[in-house]
Amino acid sequence: MNRVLLNTICISCLILGACKKKQPPVSTEVPVNLVKVQAQSVLYYDKYPSTTAALSQVSLLPQVQGAVTGIFFTEGSHVTKGQKLYEIDTRIYQNNYDAAVANLRVAQGTLKQSQQDADRYDYLNKYNAVAKQLYDHAMITLENSKSQVKAADEAVKTAKTNLNYAIVTAPFSGTIGFSQVKLGNVVSVGTTVLNTISTDSPMAVDFVINEKQLPKFEKLQMEKKANVDSLFTLLLPDNTLYPENGKISIIDRAVDSQTGSIRVRLVFPNAKNMLRVGMSCVVRVHNQDTQPQLVLPNKAVVEQMGEYFVYIAKDSTITNPKAPADSAKTKKTLVAAQKKVQIGQTIGPNVVIKSGINAGDRVVTDGVQSLHDGSQITTANKVGPGAGKGGKG
């Protein structure tokens, strides 16, 4: 029994000794890296998704009906204005034209005969040597013959037009696409699409801007000489830079009331035919703001429900009423303060800050995931990307 009591006393002593041993204090400071915000000149481009378009594009529709008897171009090639492209059974329209010309000649012969009769009866009528009725009939026949000549002449013009329409030519110089008909296909007037031709140089590039940006682009359109080199440049679908610079051509007449956007058109030289209609590209508009701007690493910005925040370091003093009598009751520390910011253009790993912070502020760049407004922070133990760049607390 005494042995059990002795063991109990020993265990109690061990527990009591453990309780009296001081535990190491738990640090509540979050280790972070800071960067001091500085205003600097930045070079960047505003980027807009865009689509290439032809300045002129037309679908070729036949003006006469018949079978396609000839195709005289290479699909996808460059054609010149007036070049012969299709032939639509010219035999029928050639025959119609020849018949119209023959009818015109007959009408002209009848008119000549009527004119001679009218002249003869007019002479006799002056001497009352012919019946009045015969004279009147001769004058009416002459007028009818003149009308028949006019009608026959118009028929010749119509037949000639149809004969010309049987040969389809290029309305302007440009690139022609795949033929929608083959030899022998019968085409209908105004409904059968033969092909499509579009101009290729210069090439239009269309993109959409917000109505708030409209004054800026109107100013650029009014300025004949751009103040900045390479004001409008173009990134191709493979993300390579198009070698030619563009210029603003047209701003659409009206803003879309539902989206608050408006279309802008640029034109780019396209002598080497690198641009094709319908390509998806990115228009870059050179930033013309020469004023220094605040720039931060992207990782310093936190997005919350569509709004953007950063944490800045502020010097603070905290009070510890439980501190031992032989130590200070207060101590200086750094505290993270959350600030709402408005962001601008992204430039590589950095982003322009338009408002919300000031030059000289110390902004947290590493460790933001562990912070909330009012968190105590320290720069003593944090080593991360960018450490040592910019000022530390």
Side-chain angles (χ1 to χ4, degrees), residues 54 56 77-78 173-175 198-203 268-271 273 275:
S56 296
S77 65
H78 182 84
S173 298
T175 301
S198 59
T199 55
D200 42 35
S201 185
M203 183 68 70
F268 287 81
N270 190 33
N273 206 28
L275 300 179

Side-chain angles (χ1 to χ4, degrees), residues 246-259:
K247 61 181 180 179
I248 193 166
S249 172
I250 301 172
I251 298 178
D252 205 354
R253 65 171 188 85
V255 174
D256 190 320
S257 58
Q258 295 184 349
T259 62

Side-chain angles (χ1 to χ4, degrees), residues 11-75:
I11 293 174
S12 300
C13 292
L14 292 173
I15 293 175
L16 183 61
C19 291
K20 290 183 178 180
K21 187 177 181 181
K22 292 184 178 180
Q23 298 295 326
V26 178
S27 175
T28 59
E29 296 178 334
V30 179
V32 297
N33 284 336
L34 302 180
V35 63
K36 183 175 289 185
V37 182
Q38 296 180 348
Q40 56 184 287
S41 298
V42 294
L43 169 64
Y44 65 87
Y45 298 88
D46 295 317
K47 296 181 180 180
Y48 302 89
S50 60
T51 304
T52 57
L55 291 178
S56 296
Q57 180 169 303
V58 64
S59 295
L60 298 178
L61 300 175
Q63 301 300 309
V64 293
Q65 183 170 338
V68 177
T69 56
I71 299 177
F72 306 97
F73 63 91
T74 302
E75 294 174 320

